[in-house]
Amino acid sequence: YGQKVSVRFDGVISNQDLSKKEQGVSVQIVQNGSVVATGTTASNGKYSVKGDVDRTKPFDVVYKKSGMVSKKVAFDLKNLNEEDTPPGDFTPLTSLDLDLFNERTGVDFSFLEKDPIAKFDMRPGDMQLKLDSSASSSMKKRIDDLLKNAAEKEKADAANFSKLVAEANKLYDAKNYDGALAKYEEASKIDRKDKHVNTRINEIYDIQHSNKEAALADKQKNQEYYNLIQAGDNLYKQGDLEKAKARYKEASLMNEDENYPIDQIKKIN
């Protein structure tokens, strides 16, 4: 028989955030860094996983699902007597149920990858597992405090997001695009997936690009106008009036609001 014992764990996994049973959670028995056995929760959240472990060394039951915070429960069966082990699968607990919750933005729960939420060990000469209540209570408080702080931050962020978007909308309607963009981008740091905010940011980028192109075109147009005026003035001073007149006419057509080229043409005529 040796030191190996076949252990089986059954239970139900629930989603703490949605108050429902959670499907698709990977349940693994891990010992010495190696996965001994793997199971997956069904649509009703139930799972059953079993595998052979070395009873003289501790092992973990690990619960994982993408987008959710992983948890694990630690077991130490070194005091399990070989002669007391029942035939077939050994079930340390009648049911190992727990809740998982979704990851929280900006909250570090990575310590749960290292630290178990509960520790069980076998009492010498007894077939009953003992829970380290103090460690479990301390871990529960640590998790609850982080979740509470995350909820408070989420509430504050939501209020700040609404305020920023409202201010940005007013600036946008007033065509203060630079001011609106600053507010929208600040709001985007809180919620990068908001459709309205992302749409407005892209719209403002397009407006700013168009304005820059228009300003550049206007600058180029004015430069051409002044070049023609300069050329006309030089020709006028040189006495080449017909060529000067032609330059003034070109300038006048380019900028009809300017009186100077018209006045120069009148002088020549």
Side-chain angles (χ1 to χ4, degrees):
Y1 183 87
Q3 298 174 339
K4 290 288 185 179
V5 60
S6 178
V7 294
R8 190 185 85 230
F9 293 93
D10 303 298
V12 178
I13 306 302
S14 300
N15 185 315
Q16 182 175 325
D17 298 319
L18 303 178
S19 299
K20 72 177 187 67
K21 308 307 179 187
E22 189 66 24
Q23 180 180 9
V25 176
S26 170
V27 185
Q28 299 177 335
I29 299 175
V30 180
Q31 189 172 53
N32 294 329
S34 298
V35 177
V36 175
T38 301
T40 306
T41 57
S43 58
N44 58 4
K46 290 185 177 182
Y47 73 90
S48 181
V49 60
K50 67 176 182 177
D52 293 338
V53 298
D54 183 341
R55 60 186 173 84
T56 67
K57 297 177 182 178
F59 64 90
D60 301 319
V61 180
V62 182
Y63 302 84
K64 296 181 178 180
K65 184 175 181 179
S66 178
M68 306 191 83
V69 175
S70 300
K71 290 183 178 181
K72 68 179 179 179
V73 179
F75 290 87
D76 188 343
L77 304 182
K78 65 176 177 291
N79 291 317
L80 176 65
N81 294 321
E82 180 179 341
E83 59 272 16
D84 294 332
T85 305
D89 298 328
F90 173 55
T91 53
L93 297 172
T94 304
S95 185
L96 183 52
D97 306 333
L98 57 81
D99 296 335
L100 294 184
F101 53 85
N102 293 327
E103 295 173 344
R104 300 295 198 268
T105 302
V107 184
D108 184 10
F109 284 103
S110 60
F111 64 92
L112 288 174
E113 297 175 7
K114 176 174 65 72
D115 301 326
I117 61 167
K119 297 178 181 179
F120 290 91
D121 61 13
M122 187 69 67
R123 298 172 182 175
D126 195 349
M127 287 296 291
Q128 296 296 319
L129 284 172
K130 179 184 178 182
L131 171 67
D132 186 338
S133 321
S134 176
S136 294
S137 296
S138 177
M139 180 60 73
K140 183 178 185 305
K141 184 178 185 307
R142 185 178 180 183
I143 294 171
D144 288 345
D145 286 347
L146 285 172
L147 288 173
K148 180 181 177 182
N149 292 340
E152 291 173 352
K153 183 179 184 300
E154 184 178 354
K155 183 178 180 180
D157 283 348
N160 190 32
F161 178 82
S162 297
K163 178 174 177 289
L164 287 167
V165 172
E167 292 172 350
N169 288 340
K170 287 182 179 179
L171 291 168
Y172 182 90
D173 292 340
K175 300 189 186 311
N176 182 347
Y177 298 120
D178 289 342
L181 180 62
K183 296 289 184 180
Y184 283 130
E185 288 182 332
E186 193 174 347
S188 179
K189 293 177 182 177
I190 298 174
D191 185 355
R192 298 187 182 280
K193 297 181 180 179
D194 187 82
K195 185 177 180 180
H196 171 71
V197 169
N198 289 331
T199 297
R200 279 291 170 87
I201 288 174
N202 289 330
E203 286 176 355
I204 293 174
Y205 284 160
D206 290 341
I207 290 170
Q208 290 179 331
H209 181 68
S210 297
N211 288 345
K212 285 180 181 178
E213 287 188 333
L216 179 61
D218 186 59
K219 182 179 179 180
Q220 291 173 339
K221 178 181 177 182
N222 287 335
Q223 189 60 52
E224 291 176 18
Y225 169 80
Y226 290 120
N227 288 342
L228 287 169
I229 293 297
Q230 185 66 48
D233 288 345
N234 290 337
L235 290 167
Y236 183 83
K237 290 175 183 178
Q238 296 168 9
D240 196 341
L241 300 183
E242 287 303 314
K243 286 185 179 180
K245 183 177 179 181
R247 296 295 178 273
Y248 289 135
K249 281 185 178 180
E250 286 184 61
S252 178
L253 291 173
M254 185 169 289
N255 194 339
E256 296 178 354
D257 295 329
E258 289 290 339
N259 293 324
Y260 181 79
I262 300 296
D263 294 339
Q264 289 298 97
I265 291 173
K266 289 180 180 177
K267 285 182 182 180
I268 295 173
N269 291 337

